[in-house]
């Protein structure tokens, strides 16, 4: 994975100044739980056949077509991409809490750090959402610029949120007022005129809360130019930004950790701040 350059003054964790005056400071917990059994087993198994983790073009069938796919694992596909799957049980979390979280956490670095205290460093909106907006309307069409560690690699990413149908997902449960939600985005290293990959976090209700089924498609044929200026950059990226097995392992661990950690505090955070700016 290509590393980004650290910006002066940014740091992991919360300092005393960070904590001061933050009404949500009580939700800061620097301890990240050990990986769950399913994630550990996926890491022990190693790369699997790419047929078990289909390309983005098959996302609709993967999620809603009844196809049997791997819920935790990764593959290095023949097109030079990596594909990942992570499933996270989220007790007490409702899908609308996830929509609220994705519209709330990029308002400040401290909010973003709550999510993964050992990897997240900074977050801000490329263009701030409308004041007073909530849930899907707050993040859709907006780009979050995040500084974080994925494994030992520090990266600055631009994550642009798009409607589910933009990535091929169409289902009644995802409509406004439906029972589920899907956080969908394209991503790249910040400042690059190309798309490097895509992600989907499908969140569906269960008897005890929700289950989040996360999928990533990064590199290879997923790399696409943004405008004419991005054409040569995309061509170079397809040959030089080829994800490795270590990259896939690091992202699987990162996703499993951050989503589990989020579930530990999100219900209480949402209850306290869902109507606050």
């Amino acid at each position: 994975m290509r590393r980004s350059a650290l910006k002066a003054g940014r740091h992991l964790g919360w300092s005393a100044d960070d904590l001061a005056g933050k009404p949500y400071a009580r939700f800061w917990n620097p301890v990240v739980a050990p990986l769950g059994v399913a994630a550990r087993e996926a890491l022990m198994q190693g790369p699997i056949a790419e047929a078990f983790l289909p390309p983005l073009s098959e996302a609709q069938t993967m999620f809603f077509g009844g196809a049997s796919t791997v819920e935790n694992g990764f593959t290095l596909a023949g097109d030079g991409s990596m594909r990942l799957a992570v499933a996270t049980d989220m007790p007490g979390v409702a899908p609308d809490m996830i929509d609220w979280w994705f519209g709330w956490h990029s308002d400040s670095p401290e909010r973003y750090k709550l999510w993964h205290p050992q990897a997240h460093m900074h977050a801000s909106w490329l263009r701030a959402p409308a004041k007073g907006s909530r849930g899907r309307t707050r993040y859709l069409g907006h780009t979050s610029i995040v500084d974080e560690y994925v494994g030992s690699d520090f990266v600055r990413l631009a994550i642009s949120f798009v409607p589910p149908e933009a990535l091929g997902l169409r289902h009644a449960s995802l409509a406004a007022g439906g029972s589920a939600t899907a956080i969908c985005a394209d991503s790249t290293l910040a400042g690059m005129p190309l798309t490097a990959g895509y992600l989907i976090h499908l969140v569906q209700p269960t008897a005890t809360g929700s289950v989040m089924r996360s999928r990533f498609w990064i590199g290879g044929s997923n790399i696409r130019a943004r405008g004419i200026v991005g054409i040569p950059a995309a061509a170079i990226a397809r040959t030089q930004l080829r994800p490795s097995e270590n990259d896939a392992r690091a992202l699987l661990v990162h996703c499993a950790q951050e989503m589990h950690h989020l579930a530990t505090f999100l219900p209480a955070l949402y209850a306290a701040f869902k109507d606050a700016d």
Side-chain angles (χ1 to χ4, degrees):
M1 182 177 293
R2 176 176 170 179
R3 297 190 179 201
S4 301
L6 285 165
K7 283 195 174 183
R10 296 185 180 178
H11 58 89
L12 287 171
W14 279 32
S15 67
D17 287 341
D18 293 334
L19 290 166
K22 301 296 191 301
Y24 46 85
R26 67 184 184 273
F27 295 100
W28 168 252
N29 176 11
V31 179
V32 175
L35 282 179
V37 172
R40 284 189 276 118
E41 289 182 346
L43 293 171
M44 287 189 292
Q45 184 175 6
I48 60 176
E50 64 180 274
F52 290 109
L53 290 173
L56 176 63
S57 60
E58 297 182 34
Q60 174 74 12
T61 301
M62 184 190 312
F63 286 124
F64 298 112
S68 177
T69 59
V70 170
E71 297 290 5
N72 291 275
F74 66 92
T75 189
L76 301 175
D79 66 351
S81 69
M82 65 179 179
R83 305 174 191 164
L84 288 89
V86 179
T88 306
D89 185 39
M90 307 185 103
V93 174
D96 61 340
M97 295 180 189
I98 298 295
D99 278 323
W100 174 83
W101 169 257
F102 274 86
W104 185 85
H105 75 257
S106 285
D107 280 5
S108 76
E110 292 77 22
R111 294 181 181 188
Y112 189 58
K113 291 179 182 186
L114 293 174
W115 192 1
H116 196 320
Q118 297 178 2
H120 289 180
M121 184 175 291
H122 193 274
S124 62
W125 296 109
L126 182 63
R127 178 175 56 85
K131 188 174 178 61
S133 57
R134 298 284 187 273
R136 294 180 186 178
T137 59
R138 183 165 178 79
Y139 66 81
L140 282 179
H142 289 276
T143 297
S144 179
I145 308 297
V146 303
D147 290 7
E148 65 182 18
Y149 282 91
V150 180
S152 60
D153 286 338
F154 172 75
V155 292
R156 178 168 296 113
L157 302 173
I159 302 172
S160 300
F161 298 102
V162 300
E165 56 268 24
L167 298 189
L169 291 189
R170 292 175 176 81
H171 195 266
S173 66
L174 301 179
S179 62
T181 194
I183 309 299
C184 300
D186 62 63
S187 65
T188 192
L189 293 172
M192 296 189 70
L194 53 84
T195 294
Y198 300 88
L199 64 86
I200 295 174
H201 302 299
L202 176 66
V203 187
Q204 297 168 301
T206 66
T208 58
S210 295
V211 61
M212 175 182 285
R213 300 166 66 200
S214 301
R215 299 289 187 274
F216 298 85
W217 298 266
I218 299 175
S221 61
N222 301 295
I223 297 175
R224 297 172 187 178
R226 293 180 179 176
I228 296 176
V229 69
I231 293 175
I236 294 171
R238 291 189 191 101
T239 61
Q240 295 188 0
L241 298 181
R242 297 178 68 88
S244 68
E245 180 176 337
N246 284 341
D247 293 332
R249 289 178 177 275
L251 182 56
L252 189 151
V253 170
H254 183 100
C255 180
Q257 288 177 330
E258 69 178 358
M259 296 310 184
H260 174 79
H261 195 74
L262 176 62
T264 65
F265 66 84
L266 181 57
L269 178 75
Y270 177 79
F273 295 101
K274 63 181 179 180
D275 296 321
D277 288 327

